[in-house]
Amino acid sequence: MSEAFVDDAIDFMRDCQQQRKPFFLYYGIAQPHVDVYSNFGFRSSSKRGRYGDMIREMSWSVGAIMDEVKRLGEDSNTISIFTADNGPHLQLCNEGGDAGVLKGGKMQFWDGGIRVPGIFRWTGHIPPAKISDEVVSQFPTLMSIVGGSVPDDRKMDGQDISSTLFNWSPEPKPEPVAEKQLQLQRACGKGQ
C-alpha cells in the first residue's frame, strides 16, 4: 500500500508541475498506528520487530516523496512538515511505540500522549539542522507564512511561531503547568 500511495503522490506533484499549478499534498501515513501490514521488502529489517519494520517503511515513503520534490526543482518553493497526531499506543506494548522517559501515550494528556515530533523544512527559508523545544501550533504559524489570518470569531488554540522557524529567536513561553503546580505545592508545604 505504501508504494501505491507514494506513486500517487509523485504523479500528483508531476501533474501539478506540468500544469504550472502550486500544490498542497497531505500524505497521511498509516504506519505506525497498529501493525496492520509491512511491505515484504521491510519485513524483518529492524531489531525493533514489526513496529521497527513499519518505521523503516514510513521513512522510505517520506524519503521517496522528498526526493521527488527535489527532482522537480520545487525544494525552495515547498514547505514540508512531518508530525504526528499523538504519542504511542501503549496498549499494544512493543508493537505500539514508546514515549521514552515521558509518561503516557495515545488518548492520554500526559506529555507522552501529546508531545510528538515536529519537523519543518523549507529550503532557503528555514535554517537547517536547528532544534527548538518550543511548543508548536501549526495552524497560526502556517496562516502567518502564507499571509492569511486566523479567524477571530472563535477561540483558537496556539500561537504563531514563525519567528522561531525563520530566525530561531525564542517565542515568549507561558509558565509550564508543572512548574505552577510545584510552586503551589511548595506554598502549601508539600513540595521539596
Side-chain angles (χ1 to χ4, degrees), residues 5-119:
F5 287 163
V6 167
D7 289 345
D8 286 348
I10 288 172
D11 288 345
F12 169 74
M13 292 186 296
R14 288 177 181 170
D15 288 345
C16 289
Q17 187 184 51
Q18 288 174 352
Q19 298 174 33
R20 298 185 186 275
K21 292 178 8 181
F23 64 85
F24 172 82
L25 173 66
Y26 171 81
Y27 182 68
I29 300 170
Q31 304 97 336
H33 274 81
V34 293
D35 182 26
V36 290
Y37 64 88
S38 187
N39 184 310
F40 182 74
F42 294 95
R43 288 186 195 148
S44 301
S45 67
S46 168
K47 292 179 183 177
R48 185 71 162 85
R50 292 181 302 179
Y51 184 82
D53 296 346
M54 287 191 310
I55 296 296
R56 285 185 176 212
E57 186 171 354
M58 177 182 68
S59 177
W60 165 81
S61 67
V62 171
I65 291 171
M66 295 305 299
D67 287 346
E68 184 64 19
V69 168
K70 289 179 197 174
R71 194 194 70 70
L72 292 171
E74 296 295 336
D75 208 26
S76 64
N77 295 324
T78 303
I79 300 171
S80 301
I81 302 169
F82 180 87
T83 191
D85 57 351
N86 52 255
H89 197 167
L90 299 177
Q91 292 82 351
L92 298 176
C93 301
N94 286 338
E95 301 300 326
D98 186 345
V101 298
L102 301 177
K103 179 179 180 177
K106 182 176 182 171
M107 297 184 289
Q108 298 176 339
F109 290 102
W110 299 102
D111 279 356
I114 59 175
R115 293 183 73 171
V116 296
I119 302 170

Side-chain angles (χ1 to χ4, degrees), residues 3 16 28 32-33 51 58 60 69 84 99 102 106 111-112 114 127 139 147 161 166-168 175 179 181-182 192:
E3 289 175 356
C16 289
H33 274 81
Y51 184 82
M58 177 182 68
W60 165 81
V69 168
L102 301 177
K106 182 176 182 171
D111 279 356
I114 59 175
F139 182 70
I161 57 104
F166 298 119
N167 305 319
W168 294 105
E175 190 175 346
E179 183 62 29
Q181 289 175 332
L182 185 58
Q192 295 296 325

Side-chain angles (χ1 to χ4, degrees), residues 156-174:
M156 297 299 293
D157 191 16
Q159 61 183 359
D160 173 17
I161 57 104
S162 57
S163 66
T164 299
L165 290 176
F166 298 119
N167 305 319
W168 294 105
S169 60
E171 298 286 339
K173 286 187 188 179

